[in-house]
Amino acid sequence: MEPSDVLRKLGRQEYKRKNYHGALNFFNSAISHEKVPAIEALDNRAATYEKLGDLHAALKDGRRMVSEYKSSCVGYLRTGKVLRLLGKEETALGIYKYGIRNVPPGDPTFQLLNQMYDETRRACGPRKARDPLTLLPTEVAQMILTYFDFREIVSIVRVSTQWRDYLTSMPGLWTKLDFSAAKAKIPGTAIQKYLQYSRAGDLKHLSITHCTTLRELELTEMVSRGYMDKLSYLDLSHTHVTDNVIEPLVLRARHLRKVRLAATKITGISVKALVTRPGIELVHLDVTDCNNISADAKTLARKKLGLKVLSGMSEFSGKKIRFE
């Protein structure tokens, strides 16, 4: 056992005995033994500072945890608690919101972070307010919101800042992004914003068709940030997408099943990558009106995918692959 581990253990023992000054000495020693203090040591010391009434010292350790361990709930929970003890509810709300954006939903204490966010948000709101979303438990509100399609969710987000913050704290609402029904041109920055709401690479369905304002650089950045890693459905038809986007995408998006790239600038390189990449099992590929695909790439795609009829896919002519 490392010296710092021994010191932390002794500190916790003193803490249980309510000897907070003794516990603080051990935690200080443990932290001084480590080049990068363990998050447990910082949290233990922050808790001790709380007991000793030194909330500003506790806050300093909390902020350090947030800075050095962004993907852990521990720092956000500690910092938010101390800020609330200091009467800074609005600032605590911001910390919890920041944590929800950075901590993976699979974290064991992610649900607690959500609960603290909800509790603090209610504490910050006017006493007479009767916002239906805030009155409901998070799980119930999210279940109700799943009945709305993407376009309707975007409209709800625009109702108020409070509703925007509430809905964007729920990654589960942003797993299917469909911009195909948009009446106006959508800038790439707006698409990136909604992709960020899905967080943790949980996006499953993405449709960005006829979006000529979307630059290739923006698409490659979306791929490199991991937003598309878990995609099963992708439609980039009638955009300026090229091989420079599809090649890196194929290396990351191993769950792709249906891909539509009609009227894009891709070549046979992208087609070959999509049908030969190990792990990717396409059931549909639409490259209609792509004029730069070589004959050998088409032959390979037909060989790999075949022309089997798929039930319920009449809108795709019942074929696994379309070239024209």
Side-chain angles (χ1 to χ4, degrees), residues 78-95:
R78 179 64 62 188
T79 305
K81 179 183 178 182
V82 175
L83 285 168
R84 296 190 70 185
L85 290 172
L86 288 168
K88 299 180 179 181
E89 298 282 352
E90 292 285 351
T91 309
L93 185 64
I95 287 292

Side-chain angles (χ1 to χ4, degrees), residues 69-123:
Y69 299 92
K70 286 188 177 181
S71 61
S72 172
C73 282
V74 176
Y76 303 104
L77 291 169
R78 179 64 62 188
T79 305
K81 179 183 178 182
V82 175
L83 285 168
R84 296 190 70 185
L85 290 172
L86 288 168
K88 299 180 179 181
E89 298 282 352
E90 292 285 351
T91 309
L93 185 64
I95 287 292
Y96 291 138
K97 178 183 174 183
Y98 185 56
I100 290 170
R101 288 182 174 178
N102 286 287
V103 176
D107 188 288
T109 51
F110 185 80
Q111 188 60 38
L112 177 59
L113 189 61
N114 263 315
Q115 291 174 3
M116 295 309 300
Y117 175 82
D118 292 342
E119 180 182 313
T120 309
R121 189 186 64 251
R122 286 192 290 269

Side-chain angles (χ1 to χ4, degrees), residues 126-195:
R127 291 185 179 181
K128 294 183 179 180
R130 288 294 181 270
D131 187 331
L133 288 181
T134 60
L135 291 175
L136 293 170
T138 302
E139 297 81 0
V140 176
Q142 185 164 347
M143 181 178 68
I144 293 171
L145 290 166
T146 56
Y147 286 93
F148 295 94
D149 61 28
F150 175 64
R151 189 175 178 181
E152 291 168 332
I153 290 291
V154 171
S155 297
I156 296 172
V157 165
R158 293 173 177 169
V159 170
S160 68
T161 301
Q162 189 175 19
W163 279 26
R164 182 198 65 199
D165 292 345
Y166 189 65
L167 267 68
T168 56
S169 71
M170 300 177 177
L173 291 179
W174 307 95
T175 60
K176 181 178 180 180
L177 307 186
D178 188 348
F179 297 92
S180 60
K183 296 180 179 179
K185 290 184 177 180
I186 306 170
T189 52
I191 294 173
Q192 283 186 315
K193 178 180 69 176
Y194 290 112
L195 283 170

